[in-house]
Amino acid sequence: MSSAELAPVPTSPAWYAKVDRFRRWTRPVLVANLVGQIGIIVTGGAVRLTGSGLGCSTWPLCEPGSFTPEFHSAMSIHPLIEFGNRTLTGVVGIIALAVLVLLWTDTTRSASFRRASSLPLIGVALQALIGGITVLLHLHPAVVGVHFLVSAALVAVSAYLLYRSGEGDGQPTAAVDRRTTLVGRVLAVLAVPLLVLGVLATGSGPHGGDDEVAYRFALDPALISKAHAASVWLFLVVLVVLTVLVLRQATAPARARKAVVVLVGVTLLQGLIGYVQYFTGLPEILVAAHMLGAGLLITSLTWTLLTFRVRT
């Protein structure tokens, strides 16, 4: 890291110092941010699985001329579920703003880390925009897929910020050998097609997000599901290789050993849920569990790779 990145800001606004009294809340806020980013994946899935994708017929208002659902005797539960998900997005946005304030004003940290603190808030704003486009395009599966992939990226960023908050800002040095680092990078690359194929499988399946409007990808659901399963098996094989390398390496730190074992457990559980949901006709509860598992898998993978280097 350059000396410019490590140097404190020459002049800081006076109000920066006033935030110091809240600095002890930095880690809890970062944990809340990560939980919120995973939670928004689950609640977004609930909107889709309950057919509530168009529960609010427009955006940014819920109904024409009304920010909230219009309550009447004939209304269904769908507007409440969709509006609840929008409300949670606002809560996650407030948490992301708190992350930005707490990290950006901490002039003892590196400039690169402080700049990264803006990503959750930028991502939430982008997600709100994509969500609006999703409604206006009547739940087109491509837009819904982008919606999920941006959430996946935000989960990775949030896990990164949480891990980095407990490190110093020195130049990162490898805590494992070069071969282990290389296999870890391969695993990270394999996670991308795994997630994309999962999106395509979902986008060609039965859960379109609305009981009447449910555009689907013109793909064979069985074929794309098998392709997704193949990507999972490839990911698992490389993960096994990585696990063996880490566990057999005497100099590997304890946190890396623990992280890779947790990653294996999360991957196996996620794979099990995937197979069970496929052979049981995609019941909603298992699909929701699979989406939660996706968030946990991304978190665990990010955390594991970060344990492969240290910062003083």
Side-chain angles (χ1 to χ4, degrees), residues 3 9 31 40 77 84 99 107 143 157 165 210 213 221 239 241 244 261 263 268 281 304 306 309:
S3 58
V9 177
V31 171
I40 206 72
I77 193 67
V99 169
T107 55
V143 183
V157 167
S165 69
D210 185 78
V213 178
L239 176 56
V241 173
V244 172
V261 170
L263 178 57
L268 291 175
T304 298
L306 289 172
R309 86 287 183 281

Side-chain angles (χ1 to χ4, degrees), residues 123-145:
V124 171
L126 178 62
Q127 283 290 70
L129 177 61
I130 297 173
I133 295 173
T134 301
V135 173
L136 297 177
L137 294 182
H138 301 291
L139 311 179
H140 192 285
V143 183
V144 175

Side-chain angles (χ1 to χ4, degrees), residues 52-69:
S52 304
L54 295 178
C56 288
S57 62
T58 188
W59 182 89
L61 302 178
C62 183
E63 300 294 342
S66 176
F67 179 73
T68 61

Side-chain angles (χ1 to χ4, degrees), residues 247-301:
L247 296 182
R248 293 184 62 182
Q249 193 171 152
T251 58
R255 65 180 182 278
R257 296 169 181 269
K258 180 179 179 180
V260 77
V261 170
V262 171
L263 178 57
V264 170
V266 172
T267 303
L268 291 175
L269 180 59
Q270 180 71 337
L272 176 62
I273 295 173
Y275 272 104
V276 172
Q277 71 169 6
Y278 178 79
F279 288 110
T280 56
L282 301 176
E284 286 81 357
I285 187 65
L286 288 182
V287 176
H290 203 48
M291 298 190 73
L292 172 61
L296 296 177
L297 179 62
I298 296 164
T299 301
S300 183
L301 175 60

Side-chain angles (χ1 to χ4, degrees), residues 8-296:
V9 177
T11 57
S12 302
W15 67 271
Y16 276 25
K18 297 181 180 180
V19 183
D20 288 342
R21 71 183 72 177
F22 304 105
R23 201 75 66 195
R24 66 183 183 277
W25 291 100
T26 298
R27 191 167 183 84
V29 168
L30 288 170
V31 171
N33 176 61
L34 176 58
V35 171
Q37 298 293 353
I38 296 175
I40 206 72
I41 292 178
V42 178
T43 59
V47 170
R48 187 168 189 163
L49 294 169
T50 58
S52 304
L54 295 178
C56 288
S57 62
T58 188
W59 182 89
L61 302 178
C62 183
E63 300 294 342
S66 176
F67 179 73
T68 61
E70 296 182 354
F71 294 89
H72 50 81
S73 59
M75 75 175 295
S76 67
I77 193 67
H78 299 324
L80 299 178
I81 295 175
E82 166 64 7
F83 184 73
N85 184 61
R86 293 188 183 188
T87 302
L88 181 59
T89 299
V91 173
V92 174
I94 293 172
I95 296 173
L97 178 61
V99 169
L100 176 62
V101 171
L102 287 169
L103 297 185
W104 187 268
T105 59
D106 188 356
T107 55
T108 66
R109 301 304 304 262
S110 68
S112 60
F113 180 57
R114 294 170 61 216
R115 284 194 297 267
S117 68
S118 65
L119 294 177
L121 186 59
I122 293 173
V124 171
L126 178 62
Q127 283 290 70
L129 177 61
I130 297 173
I133 295 173
T134 301
V135 173
L136 297 177
L137 294 182
H138 301 291
L139 311 179
H140 192 285
V143 183
V144 175
V146 170
H147 208 27
F148 169 79
L149 292 175
V150 173
S151 281
L154 285 172
V155 169
V157 167
S158 299
Y160 169 81
L161 289 175
L162 177 58
Y163 190 93
R164 281 284 285 113
S165 69
E167 292 184 307
D169 289 315
Q171 185 71 23
T173 56
V176 295
D177 61 31
R178 184 174 300 180
R179 182 173 54 175
T180 303
T181 300
L182 177 60
V183 175
R185 290 173 179 172
V186 171
L187 190 68
V189 171
L190 290 176
V192 176
L194 185 154
L195 291 171
V196 171
L197 286 169
V199 167
L200 293 177
T202 303
S204 57
H207 300 298
D210 185 78
D211 295 334
E212 298 179 2
V213 178
Y215 302 120
R216 304 281 76 200
F217 288 125
L219 299 171
D220 182 349
L223 180 61
I224 198 67
S225 294
K226 291 176 181 178
H228 176 53
S231 70
V232 173
W233 279 107
L234 181 58
F235 182 89
L236 184 59
V237 168
V238 176
L239 176 56
V240 169
V241 173
L242 180 66
T243 304
V244 172
L245 289 174
V246 172
L247 296 182
R248 293 184 62 182
Q249 193 171 152
T251 58
R255 65 180 182 278
R257 296 169 181 269
K258 180 179 179 180
V260 77
V261 170
V262 171
L263 178 57
V264 170
V266 172
T267 303
L268 291 175
L269 180 59
Q270 180 71 337
L272 176 62
I273 295 173
Y275 272 104
V276 172
Q277 71 169 6
Y278 178 79
F279 288 110
T280 56
L282 301 176
E284 286 81 357
I285 187 65
L286 288 182
V287 176
H290 203 48
M291 298 190 73
L292 172 61
L296 296 177

